Amino acid sequence: KVSFASLAFLSSPDNSAETHLAPLLTKYFEYLQMDWKSLVSKCELERMLRTVLDSDLRYFFKNAVFHSVGHILDECRRERESLDNIALPPPWKEGVFGMAGGGDTKGDVDAAIKQYCSDPALVKQALRDLRREVITVNGQILPPAHSHMELAEHLGQILNSKKLMLSVSSPRGRKASMKRSTKRRSNYASDFGLELESDFSGTDSDASLAGKIDVGLVDVLARRLLIAASRTGTGGDAYFVVCDLFGGEEVEVVPHKSSGTVNQGTIEIIIKPNSVIIKSHAKFDIFSKPIVSESDALIQFHATTTETVTLQESRESSFITLKEKKTSMTGWRTLAIRPAFYERIPEMH
């Protein structure tokens, strides 16, 4: 072995640093120049995972050896509180995903959201991703959109429809909505139970939203949908967290490919008199490497990312409208990861 000092100062010209080290450094710098975006992305991803995941939880799942599906279910039940409440910061917040955006004041948040949703590449990709999703607004399916303006137009039509007003304000509408939502929730039954948040109403207030939804609120929701669909921002968080906790050298995490008719929105918008809840659902299959058949998944996990947009009434002239109420938790989301529901079959003797 030859030391750096001997190469640099004591070696002959044929065995000098210029002869041996310079080509290696040149190739290394070329590698950094060619792959810097990928390297920065990996560093940002690692920083995100360290920020949102408890270090002990992460260490346990990354190093655990599971002997059966039942073993995984038992450990997930034990860590249910942590797996159900993974806090994700806003993607536009300073230091998240390399964004140099918002602070904590209302003006900073507004400017950061606007800047984030004004990125042409992000908006184009998000719209493409949205067209792959089934989006429901209090159970009504949102038509696909090809532009931010078209998305806002479709949202406005549903938000101001009589059918939506009935589901939010009428007790009879609430019962019908809850019956319909129970059927849809069964598609996301997990080992922890059904998704319980999707009953559209049942709040303390029965006040109708008629006449209160203005263009500003529609635009807010359109922007939040774009962010929810962003694969490189929020949409990817669930996948990366599942990969980090349950992936590994011998297994691969793959987004589930639905077959047949989809009977539940993969993105749900739940309108209530005082808030709007945006829930993004996803399923992930865990396979042994190499993947032989897509029907041979070892286990399936369900992930739901939830964001709550708080609303407040605002009086303008003689009109009362609903606007977003900025809080310290604006843009923060909660990620819940749950194993799919598995029924234990008694062994035959």
Side-chain angles (χ1 to χ4, degrees):
K1 294 183 179 180
V2 183
S3 68
F4 176 81
S6 62
L7 277 175
F9 307 110
L10 305 176
S11 300
S12 63
D14 291 337
N15 201 31
S16 65
E18 184 176 357
T19 302
H20 292 275
L21 286 182
L24 293 176
L25 291 174
T26 301
K27 288 183 179 180
Y28 179 64
F29 289 136
E30 289 175 352
Y31 163 71
L32 292 179
Q33 288 177 329
M34 292 177 62
D35 294 342
W36 70 271
K37 288 186 178 180
S38 173
L39 296 171
V40 170
S41 177
K42 289 178 181 178
C43 290
E44 291 292 346
L45 174 59
E46 176 61 25
R47 179 169 64 173
M48 183 274 286
L49 292 170
R50 288 191 178 189
T51 300
V52 305
L53 292 175
D54 176 79
S55 58
D56 292 337
L57 179 77
R58 195 180 183 199
Y59 178 84
F60 170 75
F61 279 109
K62 287 176 75 70
N63 292 279
V65 177
F66 298 110
H67 304 290
S68 65
V69 170
H71 186 194
I72 298 176
L73 297 180
D74 289 340
E75 295 300 335
C76 287
R77 291 186 195 115
R78 188 172 64 84
E79 299 293 347
R80 174 177 176 174
E81 184 66 24
S82 298
L83 292 174
D84 248 358
N85 296 281
I86 300 172
L88 302 176
W92 60 78
K93 200 169 181 65
E94 185 175 358
V96 179
F97 295 110
M99 295 295 293
D104 295 321
T105 67
K106 179 179 180 298
D108 289 337
V109 172
D110 287 338
I113 295 174
K114 186 175 181 180
Q115 177 191 353
Y116 189 82
C117 291
S118 297
D119 184 329
L122 185 149
V123 171
K124 183 178 180 180
Q125 182 61 47
L127 286 168
R128 187 180 294 119
D129 291 330
L130 276 177
R131 290 194 291 273
R132 299 192 190 106
E133 309 286 355
V134 178
I135 306 169
T136 60
V137 183
N138 281 27
Q140 298 185 61
I141 294 179
L142 187 73
H146 292 80
S147 68
H148 185 178
M149 186 178 299
E150 188 179 2
L151 176 63
E153 182 180 346
H154 292 329
L155 267 174
Q157 290 173 352
I158 290 184
L159 290 174
N160 288 293
S161 68
K162 291 182 180 179
K163 189 175 180 181
L164 178 74
M165 304 308 170
L166 178 65
S167 72
V168 175
S169 62
S170 164
R172 183 178 178 182
R174 276 202 295 272
K175 291 179 181 179
S177 294
M178 290 178 72
K179 288 181 180 179
R180 290 193 301 270
S181 65
T182 300
K183 292 180 181 178
R184 281 192 302 275
R185 291 201 306 272
S186 62
N187 192 32
Y188 287 94
S190 74
D191 184 59
F192 298 166
L194 300 179
E195 269 293 323
L196 300 177
E197 189 73 53
S198 300
D199 50 343
F200 307 137
S201 45
T203 59
D204 296 333
S205 173
D206 281 333
S208 172
L209 299 182
K212 294 182 179 180
I213 298 175
D214 67 351
V215 177
L217 180 58
V218 173
D219 187 60
V220 166
L221 295 181
R223 292 176 186 274
R224 288 296 209 279
L225 266 181
L226 291 174
I227 294 172
S230 172
R231 294 302 186 197
T232 55
T234 61
D237 291 350
Y239 171 74
F240 292 132
V241 173
V242 172
C243 283
D244 189 69
L245 293 178
F246 301 102
E249 294 181 359
E250 298 180 0
V251 295
E252 186 168 348
V253 179
V254 179
H256 179 72
K257 295 181 180 179
S258 299
S259 59
T261 303
V262 178
N263 60 1
Q264 177 173 0
T266 49
I267 296 180
E268 290 182 273
I269 302 177
I270 304 159
I271 309 292
K272 298 185 177 184
N274 300 315
S275 64
V276 176
I277 299 171
I278 301 176
K279 302 174 77 68
S280 301
H281 301 289
K283 297 178 181 180
F284 303 99
D285 295 322
I286 313 294
F287 293 93
S288 293
K289 293 181 180 178
I291 300 176
V292 178
S293 170
E294 292 185 356
S295 62
D296 293 337
L298 299 173
I299 191 171
Q300 183 180 97
F301 284 90
H302 296 173
T304 299
T305 305
T306 304
E307 178 185 0
T308 299
V309 179
T310 306
L311 304 179
Q312 63 181 356
E313 291 187 347
S314 175
R315 182 178 294 276
E316 297 179 4
S317 299
S318 58
F319 298 98
I320 296 178
T321 60
L322 288 172
K323 295 184 179 295
E324 181 182 10
K325 180 181 180 181
K326 298 295 191 303
T327 69
S328 59
M329 297 306 295
T330 293
W332 283 79
R333 295 147 293 132
T334 300
L335 171 63
I337 298 174
R338 302 173 170 190
F341 179 75
Y342 289 87
E343 187 173 357
R344 192 183 297 274
I345 301 176
E347 294 183 9
M348 301 297 292
H349 296 286

